[in-house]
Amino acid sequence: MTDQDTQNAVDQFLSEAPLKGFIGGKWVPAESGETFTTSDPGSGQKLADVTAMADADIDKAVAAADSAFKHSGWAEMPANERGVLLHRLADAVEKHRPILARLESLDAGKVLSQATGDIQNFVDTMRYFVEMSQHIQRRTPLAVAGYDARTVRMPWGPCGFIFPWNFPFLLLGWNIAPALAAGNTIVVKPAEDTPLSTLYFAKIAKDVGIPDGVINVVTGYGKTAGAALSSHPGLQRMSFTGSPEVGRMVAEVCGRNLTPVKLELGGKGAAVLFDDVDIEDTAEKLVGAITFHTGQVCCDATRWLIHKPIYDRFVDACKSRLEQVQIGYQLENGTQMGPVVNAKQRERVLGYLEKGQNEGAELVLPGGAAEVSGRDGYYVKPALLAGSLDNVAAREEIFGPVAYLAPFDDEQQAINMVNSSDYGLANSVWTSDLDRANRVAERMIAGNSWINAHNVFAQGVPYAGINKSGIGGGVLSVETYLDYTRSLSVVRPL
Ligand code: NAD
C-alpha cells in the first residue's frame, strides 16, 4: 500500500462524517442527533464530526452486547473456533496497519512511527490472548473427599470499556483482547479526542465476520456517554483507563451496581540513577522516555532521582539532548516529538511550569510553548525542573515532556523519595550493580519496577497500578485473561 493509497483510504473514511457509533453490527447516530468534533492536534484543524451519544444510545449498545452474549453463539463457541475469528481480526488489523496508524497519528498527534508501533502492539496482544485461550483449562476437577466437584470458567457477559486519548489503539488491544478471547461481549467508549481508530476498527470487525453485537463502539463525551456506560446496570464488568479523578467516579457508580471494576489510572513514576551508570547512555534513554509521545504516558519517569556524585554531569547530558529534540508535525519525517493532544493539555503543561516555579522549583530547562512553522498545533518544548519533592510539579501528574530532578545521598534516601508519591504505577532503577538493582526494584512501591530501562511492556508480564494508580489487577498477563472469566463451582455429593 503506497502512502497515497493510505491517505485515500483515510480520506474516504473521514468523508463519511458525521461518523456514527457501532451498535449491534449497525452504524447508528445518537438519538439526540448531536455531534462533537475531533481535530488534528498538530494543525488544530477539524478531522471529522462524530455522533455524541448519551443514555438512550448506551442502553441500546448494552442491550446489543447482552443479546449477542445470550444468542449469537459467541459465548458458547469453543475457544478454538472463537480463536479463528479473532486471529482473522488480528490479521485484518495488521493488514490495515498503515491506515489505522495514520488515523491514530492524525487524531492523537502521535508521531507516525509510534502510532504504527501501537497498531502492531494491538495485533501482538490479540494473538497472545487468543493463543492463551486455547490452552487455559476450562474445567478443573477438585479432589475433595465425598464429592464429585469441579470449577468451570465462564465468560461474564457484556463488559464495558472506557479509554483515554494517549494510547487509544494500544489500550484497546490490552483491554478487549482478553475479554473477547474469553467469550465476553463488549461496549467500548473511546476518548472524545481520539475516536477515529476505534471506529475504523469496528469496520474491520464487521468485515471479518465477528457476530453482530459482540463488539459495540459508543462515541461521546465523558460526562454523558462515559457516565452512562460506567453506571449501566446491564454490564457484568467495567474497565476504565484514565485519570484518578474520573476513575474514582467510575468506581463509585460501579460500586452501587456491584459491577466488578478494573481501574488503570495515572502515575508519577521515578527513575533512580546511581553513580555507576553510563551517564550518556542513561541520559539518552531517559530523554527518550520523557519525550516519547510528548510525555503523555501514564507510567513515564517524571521524577529523576540522581546520585549526588553524578548529578551535575547527568543534568548537563540531559539538557543538551533535550535542547536538540526535533519538535514537529507528527506525520513529518524526522519529527521526534509531536504536539500535545489539545489546547487544554498545553495549558496544563505550561501551568505546571509556572506553579512549580512559584513554589520554588529551579527551572533547569525552561520549556514553554513551541512554534512549528506552518502548523497551528499544540506544541510544547521539553522542560526540566529541580528542587524539593514537596513541590506541586513533583507531586502531581503533569502529562507532558517535563521531568523533575532531585539529588540523593544514599540508597535508603532514594527509596524513601520514590515512595513519597501517592501514585504507584511504575518506577525504574539504573545501576551496573545488579544486586543493588534487584534490591531497590523490590523496595519501590508500585505495580512495576524496571531495571536499566523505562516504559517496558511485554505480553506475559503483568502491568498494573496500585494506590492512586489503579485497582483490579492490571493487564497483559494470564491473570488478565482469567479475570475475564467467572468461576462456577459444580458439586455432587457422592
Ligand atoms: P480522563 O479521565 O479525563 O478521561 C478518560 C476517559 O474517561 C475518556 O474517555 C473520557 O471521556 C471518560 N470520562 C470522562 N468523564 C467521565 C465520567 N464522568 N464518567 C465516565 N467516563 C468519563 O483521562 P484522559 O485525560 O483522557 O487521560 C489521561 C489520564 O489517563 C492520565 O491520568 C493517565 O495517566 C491515564 N492513563 C493511565 C493508563 C494506565 O494504564 N494506567 C494508560 C493511559 C492513560
Side-chain angles (χ1 to χ4, degrees):
M1 187 177 264
T2 65
D3 279 358
Q4 192 52 52
D5 292 339
T6 305
Q7 187 58 51
N8 291 345
V10 166
D11 290 343
Q12 164 69 32
F13 177 63
L14 297 179
S15 73
E16 291 160 20
L19 300 175
K20 301 185 176 87
F22 185 69
I23 295 178
K26 298 197 170 54
W27 295 98
V28 282
E31 273 194 11
S32 67
E34 284 175 21
T35 59
F36 64 97
T37 298
T38 183
S39 303
D40 173 353
S43 68
Q45 298 195 340
K46 171 168 155 176
L47 291 167
D49 285 329
V50 182
T51 197
M53 295 184 147
D55 300 62
D57 312 295
I58 308 307
D59 281 347
K60 282 188 211 158
V62 175
D66 188 50
S67 170
F69 185 75
K70 289 175 180 151
H71 308 298
S72 72
W74 180 255
E76 296 80 26
M77 214 177 260
N80 56 339
E81 280 179 31
R82 206 164 42 229
V84 170
L85 281 172
L86 290 174
H87 269 306
R88 262 185 223 153
L89 181 61
D91 293 349
V93 167
E94 196 168 42
K95 189 171 153 224
H96 290 82
R97 189 177 58 190
I99 301 169
L100 283 161
R102 204 169 180 87
L103 277 171
E104 191 83 325
S105 176
L106 282 168
D107 212 14
K110 194 172 279 243
V111 171
L112 185 60
S113 57
Q114 294 171 8
T116 305
D118 286 3
I119 311 303
Q120 189 58 42
N121 191 293
F122 174 106
V123 173
D124 298 344
T125 305
M126 183 60 82
R127 288 177 179 153
Y128 167 74
F129 280 111
V130 172
E131 285 306 305
M132 186 187 300
S133 70
Q134 323 287 299
H135 302 292
I136 294 279
Q137 186 167 301
R138 194 163 162 257
R139 290 189 177 81
T140 307
L142 304 172
V144 180
Y147 300 94
D148 175 17
R150 64 182 183 278
T151 55
V152 189
R153 296 189 177 283
M154 302 291 211
W156 289 89
C159 302
F161 296 86
I162 297 179
F163 293 114
W165 43 258
N166 61 340
F167 286 85
F169 210 74
L170 174 139
L171 291 173
L172 184 73
W174 285 10
N175 287 277
I176 68 167
L180 289 171
N184 299 283
T185 57
I186 64 171
V187 181
V188 175
K189 193 202 94 59
E192 50 272 45
D193 282 295
T194 54
L196 297 181
S197 58
T198 307
L199 288 171
Y200 197 88
F201 166 71
K203 235 165 104 76
I204 296 175
K206 173 96 181 151
D207 289 348
V208 301
I210 302 293
D212 290 349
V214 168
I215 295 174
N216 305 276
V217 179
V218 292
T219 49
Y221 294 108
K223 279 188 182 146
T224 45
L229 183 60
S230 55
S231 61
H232 205 291
L235 294 176
Q236 296 302 313
R237 299 271 326 184
M238 182 66 216
S239 163
F240 172 84
T241 312
S243 62
E245 296 72 28
V246 178
R248 198 168 271 133
M249 290 193 256
V250 168
E252 277 173 19
V253 291
C254 287
R256 255 177 257 147
N257 288 333
L258 299 180
T259 306
V261 62
K262 181 197 280 288
L263 304 176
E264 310 293 334
L265 308 175
K268 192 73 189 177
V272 178
L273 283 74
F274 285 95
D275 60 1
D276 56 358
V277 296
D278 177 328
I279 290 184
E280 296 300 325
D281 184 56
T282 311
E284 183 75 19
K285 288 178 177 150
L286 281 181
V287 163
I290 198 67
T291 53
F292 176 52
H293 197 24
T294 323
Q296 302 164 113
V297 180
C298 50
C299 52
D300 220 335
T302 50
R303 296 179 296 149
W304 297 357
L305 312 179
I306 307 159
H307 214 169
K308 254 193 196 141
I310 59 163
Y311 184 87
D312 290 336
R313 277 181 296 150
F314 183 75
V315 173
D316 287 346
C318 293
K319 213 175 138 184
S320 62
R321 279 178 171 78
L322 285 168
E323 280 164 346
Q324 287 160 31
V325 165
Q326 188 65 41
I327 301 169
Y329 186 58
Q330 65 268 24
L331 288 168
E332 206 96 347
N333 279 337
T335 293
Q336 289 172 303
M337 202 173 85
V340 293
V341 75
N342 55 31
K344 190 171 150 214
Q345 191 59 27
R346 183 169 59 183
E347 288 317 305
R348 180 183 171 100
V349 174
L350 302 182
Y352 269 108
L353 294 177
E354 201 180 316
K355 283 191 272 181
Q357 274 186 94
N358 290 344
E359 288 193 10
E362 176 200 349
L363 207 49
V364 176
L365 183 70
E371 294 297 323
V372 169
S373 166
R375 309 278 179 183
D376 195 15
Y378 312 114
Y379 297 95
V380 294
K381 295 180 196 158
L384 294 175
L385 293 167
S388 156
L389 290 187
D390 292 334
N391 189 288
V392 64
R395 285 185 286 108
E396 298 183 4
E397 188 179 38
I398 299 174
F399 230 49
V402 183
Y404 197 97
L405 316 173
F408 68 85
D409 289 309
D410 59 39
E411 189 175 314
Q412 185 57 50
Q413 189 193 8
I415 290 166
N416 294 345
M417 288 161 86
V418 172
N419 294 343
S420 65
S421 173
D422 296 337
Y423 290 96
L425 189 48
N427 301 301
S428 56
V429 51
W430 303 71
T431 170
S432 48
D433 175 347
L434 275 188
D435 286 338
R436 172 158 66 185
N438 285 310
R439 209 167 48 232
V440 173
E442 293 192 8
R443 296 188 63 203
M444 296 190 294
I445 299 173
N448 309 276
S449 279
W450 294 314
I451 295 175
N452 295 336
H454 206 97
N455 294 335
V456 186
F457 316 107
Q459 286 88 6
V461 179
Y463 172 77
I466 59 162
N467 297 340
K468 213 174 147 186
S469 296
I471 55 170
V475 292
L476 282 186
S477 73
V478 178
E479 288 82 5
T480 324
Y481 175 84
L482 297 179
D483 200 30
Y484 279 102
T485 63
R486 64 181 169 85
S487 180
L488 169 71
S489 300
V490 179
V491 194
R492 181 173 60 91
L494 293 174

